[in-house]
Amino acid sequence: RNFILTSHLGLKIPEDCWIKVGEEQQTWSEGKLTTLDTSFEHSTGNPSSEDRHVLIIDFWHPELSDAERAGLEFIYDLRNKFESGEVPFRQPRAKEPVEEEGQGLGGIWKALTGGGD
C-alpha cells in the first residue's frame, strides 16, 4: 500500500507507548502529527494499563499521478459502496454439473489405458 501515507494525531498518549516503522521506533506526542509510510513493516505498542487514543488519517501519496489517483478513488469508492450495501450482492452461480462416469478427460484416459488409473 505505498500509494497511501498515514498521519497519526496523538490525542491521549500514556507513557511508554511506541510506534515502530522499519527500524525506527518513536512515540506519539499529544497534539502533534506524525506521518508515516505504512507500506513499510510497522507495529505499535502500549505496555501501560491506560488506553491510547490516536486519530488516524490516510491520504494519497503525493507522488501519485492524476490517473493513478483517479483509478484508486474509483476502486475505493466501489468498495465503500459495496460495504455499505449500495452495490447489490449477486449470489454465486450454481456449480457446473459433475461429469458422468466415462466422460471428460478421465473417461478418455480410462478408454486409452484400459480403465486403469
Side-chain angles (χ1 to χ4, degrees):
R1 286 188 20 158
N2 64 351
F3 50 85
I4 289 178
L5 294 180
T6 302
S7 288
H8 290 198
L9 177 63
L11 302 175
K12 179 182 177 229
I13 310 299
E15 278 194 47
D16 298 326
C17 287
W18 54 267
I19 182 168
K20 184 176 181 179
V21 180
E23 296 300 317
E24 185 177 337
Q25 182 172 311
Q26 57 181 289
T27 188
W28 296 268
S29 297
E30 291 183 6
K32 301 281 184 178
L33 201 62
T34 300
T35 302
L36 52 132
D37 183 342
T38 54
S39 67
F40 291 96
E41 186 175 335
H42 58 285
S43 57
T44 61
N46 180 3
S48 78
S49 60
E50 299 176 57
D51 289 336
R52 177 189 71 225
H53 298 277
V54 176
L55 176 65
I56 299 175
I57 306 159
D58 290 332
F59 56 95
W60 298 124
H61 194 290
E63 294 179 5
L64 286 175
S65 70
D66 289 342
E68 290 168 325
R69 188 173 296 173
L72 289 166
E73 285 173 353
F74 174 80
I75 292 168
Y76 273 79
D77 185 51
L78 184 61
R79 184 193 71 174
N80 291 338
K81 285 179 180 176
F82 177 78
E83 289 177 348
S84 68
E86 293 178 48
V87 175
F89 176 75
R90 180 181 61 80
Q91 292 294 328
R93 295 183 183 138
K95 289 184 177 181
E96 295 293 321
V98 178
E99 293 178 0
E100 294 181 24
E101 187 67 29
Q103 295 182 348
L105 291 176
I108 294 171
W109 177 255
K110 286 180 182 180
L112 292 173
T113 62
D117 289 318

